[in-house]
Amino acid sequence: MVAQTRAHISFNKGAAGEEPELDAATIDPTEEKVALRRVDWHILPIIFGFYLFNFLDRSNLGNGRLYGLEKDLGLVGNQFQTANSVFYAIYTAMSWGIVATLTGLTQNYGGLIACRLLLGLAECPMFPAAVVYMTFFYSRKELAVRFGYLTTSGAVAGAVGGLLAYAIGYMDGTRGLRSWRWLLIIEGIPSFCLGLFSWFILADSPETARYLSYPQRQIIERRRALDQPEASTPSAKAAHRPDIRAAFTDWKIWAFCLELFGADIQLFSYSIFLPTIIKAINAQWSTLTVQALTVPCYAWGAIMYFVVARISDVLQLRAPFSIFGAVAGIVGNIMLMAGRGVAVPYIGCFVIATGLYVVGGIALVWMPSNLPRFGKRTTAVGMFLMSGSGAGVAAPYLYPTNDGPRYAMGHAVTVAILMVSVTMDAVLWSYMARINRRRKAGKEDDKMQGMTEYQINEMGDRSPRYIFVT
């Protein structure tokens, strides 16, 4: 649950050195919807596009593999896996678009490794910045669905990537280039264009959003202050060393990092190897057929995330849905290991897709929405996503070439790591729920004795009044 919303608010300057106080001035619901719609239209399409092209660029080697990338570049053994892994070892929009496009012109293994390293360097700030950026504009009760446009753009990228790969397969030999080269070049160009365009659209904060009128900027700011008063103090809005240190010493953040590591092992291995896995189900399927069969899996994953995110926002519950996503991944991988024939393994791909974006996507909302202070939140998001990138380094090696066609080791390891994610979700859920019960019962009120309202809000998530979203 979140703290109850108060209906009447405004900002008046408090005493010197204190936060401006909230008092009566009604936010008109109609004006609030108009302001929120303006924010949505100016942020969500750009964020969606960023991660869509980001995900296309990082995962297109999986599609290119079916068109002879390994043979043309002379890759042997696990060099294909290494080329995927090094991206996350380093893991700017215009620069990543240039690198992604020029990857299609590489001539050998060394050139491919260099391009993937540069691509990881260019893309690495995008996702954590997008996560923190969205918390500037939205309240906690809205974040799961809005984050969905960021998270499920990876699913759309998978579907679009499969369709593009299918179509680009017919370009093999055009102007003397193999189809996998055309695939990397064509998928890289939009990143550059979007990066240039977004420079003029995205605002640094609600206060500098030129697409909002002054009253609308106030509405967006006030909504955030009502949602989390602990995030509204001047100190809470800036990065301070004590808050940064607090992120590293908070065990909950490390638990979230472990949870995301398991979620991203599944996400990255699926996005890279789904074409290979489907090809292994029936070796008689043509490359174009395999590309086409990846599309419905990703489409299903995107649909399921939005359904789950909507329910999660309405109920203001995160942990049960993250656990649901991890369990779906466990069941799907068991189906891939144990299934025979075509139907069971291919259905297993859909079962995995059911929770593919849910487990990590919901956690991505859950953690930062419980960290009202900017310094702690931004540090925690960096730690969280670094853990996810670490999964990207490991995931490609779970499916070595000589382990095909069943790839039992990769599926088994993924099941075990997803069990760790389930455990972390359960532990965090239990702990936060217990703290919420104590705070609602007034058992921590003694920590506020002698404090002003401003000082209480300065405590951030340690405030006895702060209620975690669970």
PDB file of all heavy atoms in Angstrom, residues 116 145 232 271 286 314 331 353 419 428:
ATOM      1  N   ARG A 116      31.201  -4.696 -30.384  1.00  0.00           N
ATOM      2  CA  ARG A 116      30.301  -5.021 -29.260  1.00  0.00           C
ATOM      3  C   ARG A 116      30.740  -4.321 -27.975  1.00  0.00           C
ATOM      4  O   ARG A 116      29.908  -3.889 -27.173  1.00  0.00           O
ATOM      5  CB  ARG A 116      30.248  -6.538 -29.052  1.00  0.00           C
ATOM      6  CG  ARG A 116      29.655  -7.304 -30.205  1.00  0.00           C
ATOM      7  CD  ARG A 116      28.206  -6.991 -30.445  1.00  0.00           C
ATOM      8  NE  ARG A 116      27.343  -7.611 -29.442  1.00  0.00           N
ATOM      9  CZ  ARG A 116      26.018  -7.534 -29.453  1.00  0.00           C
ATOM     10  NH1 ARG A 116      25.403  -6.827 -30.393  1.00  0.00           N
ATOM     11  NH2 ARG A 116      25.290  -8.120 -28.523  1.00  0.00           N
ATOM     12  N   VAL A 145       2.726   0.331 -14.959  1.00  0.00           N
ATOM     13  CA  VAL A 145       2.245   0.404 -16.337  1.00  0.00           C
ATOM     14  C   VAL A 145       3.170   1.277 -17.165  1.00  0.00           C
ATOM     15  O   VAL A 145       3.520   0.938 -18.309  1.00  0.00           O
ATOM     16  CB  VAL A 145       0.806   0.944 -16.381  1.00  0.00           C
ATOM     17  CG1 VAL A 145       0.393   1.254 -17.815  1.00  0.00           C
ATOM     18  CG2 VAL A 145      -0.149  -0.077 -15.774  1.00  0.00           C
ATOM     19  N   SER A 232      10.072  15.009  -1.036  1.00  0.00           N
ATOM     20  CA  SER A 232       9.789  16.389  -1.440  1.00  0.00           C
ATOM     21  C   SER A 232      10.672  17.433  -0.766  1.00  0.00           C
ATOM     22  O   SER A 232      10.603  18.613  -1.111  1.00  0.00           O
ATOM     23  CB  SER A 232       8.315  16.720  -1.152  1.00  0.00           C
ATOM     24  OG  SER A 232       8.053  16.675   0.241  1.00  0.00           O
ATOM     25  N   SER A 271      16.553 -13.885 -25.165  1.00  0.00           N
ATOM     26  CA  SER A 271      16.596 -12.940 -26.286  1.00  0.00           C
ATOM     27  C   SER A 271      17.699 -13.283 -27.284  1.00  0.00           C
ATOM     28  O   SER A 271      17.557 -13.040 -28.479  1.00  0.00           O
ATOM     29  CB  SER A 271      16.794 -11.509 -25.768  1.00  0.00           C
ATOM     30  OG  SER A 271      18.032 -11.363 -25.113  1.00  0.00           O
ATOM     31  N   SER A 286      12.977 -24.118 -41.866  1.00  0.00           N
ATOM     32  CA  SER A 286      13.906 -23.212 -42.539  1.00  0.00           C
ATOM     33  C   SER A 286      14.240 -22.038 -41.625  1.00  0.00           C
ATOM     34  O   SER A 286      13.539 -21.778 -40.635  1.00  0.00           O
ATOM     35  CB  SER A 286      13.277 -22.679 -43.835  1.00  0.00           C
ATOM     36  OG  SER A 286      12.199 -21.803 -43.540  1.00  0.00           O
ATOM     37  N   VAL A 314      -3.053  -1.367  -9.764  1.00  0.00           N
ATOM     38  CA  VAL A 314      -4.361  -1.219  -9.120  1.00  0.00           C
ATOM     39  C   VAL A 314      -4.316  -1.731  -7.682  1.00  0.00           C
ATOM     40  O   VAL A 314      -4.813  -1.090  -6.752  1.00  0.00           O
ATOM     41  CB  VAL A 314      -5.454  -1.955  -9.924  1.00  0.00           C
ATOM     42  CG1 VAL A 314      -6.755  -2.021  -9.130  1.00  0.00           C
ATOM     43  CG2 VAL A 314      -5.683  -1.262 -11.269  1.00  0.00           C
ATOM     44  N   VAL A 331       8.852 -23.150 -14.907  1.00  0.00           N
ATOM     45  CA  VAL A 331       8.020 -24.168 -15.563  1.00  0.00           C
ATOM     46  C   VAL A 331       8.367 -24.273 -17.050  1.00  0.00           C
ATOM     47  O   VAL A 331       8.503 -25.377 -17.602  1.00  0.00           O
ATOM     48  CB  VAL A 331       6.524 -23.834 -15.382  1.00  0.00           C
ATOM     49  CG1 VAL A 331       5.656 -24.770 -16.220  1.00  0.00           C
ATOM     50  CG2 VAL A 331       6.129 -23.926 -13.918  1.00  0.00           C
ATOM     51  N   ALA A 353       7.898 -16.852 -21.870  1.00  0.00           N
ATOM     52  CA  ALA A 353       7.551 -15.481 -22.254  1.00  0.00           C
ATOM     53  C   ALA A 353       6.500 -14.880 -21.341  1.00  0.00           C
ATOM     54  O   ALA A 353       6.464 -13.654 -21.135  1.00  0.00           O
ATOM     55  CB  ALA A 353       7.063 -15.462 -23.703  1.00  0.00           C
ATOM     56  N   MET A 419      15.037 -19.780  -9.030  1.00  0.00           N
ATOM     57  CA  MET A 419      14.623 -20.146  -7.666  1.00  0.00           C
ATOM     58  C   MET A 419      15.214 -19.174  -6.649  1.00  0.00           C
ATOM     59  O   MET A 419      14.583 -18.850  -5.632  1.00  0.00           O
ATOM     60  CB  MET A 419      15.036 -21.577  -7.352  1.00  0.00           C
ATOM     61  CG  MET A 419      14.218 -22.624  -8.084  1.00  0.00           C
ATOM     62  SD  MET A 419      14.733 -24.315  -7.696  1.00  0.00           S
ATOM     63  CE  MET A 419      13.521 -25.271  -8.612  1.00  0.00           C
ATOM     64  N   LEU A 428      11.981 -10.300   0.771  1.00  0.00           N
ATOM     65  CA  LEU A 428      11.698  -8.856   0.747  1.00  0.00           C
ATOM     66  C   LEU A 428      10.235  -8.575   1.055  1.00  0.00           C
ATOM     67  O   LEU A 428       9.912  -7.646   1.802  1.00  0.00           O
ATOM     68  CB  LEU A 428      12.076  -8.284  -0.624  1.00  0.00           C
ATOM     69  CG  LEU A 428      13.567  -8.176  -0.915  1.00  0.00           C
ATOM     70  CD1 LEU A 428      13.824  -8.018  -2.409  1.00  0.00           C
ATOM     71  CD2 LEU A 428      14.175  -6.998  -0.146  1.00  0.00           C
TER      72      LEU A 428
END
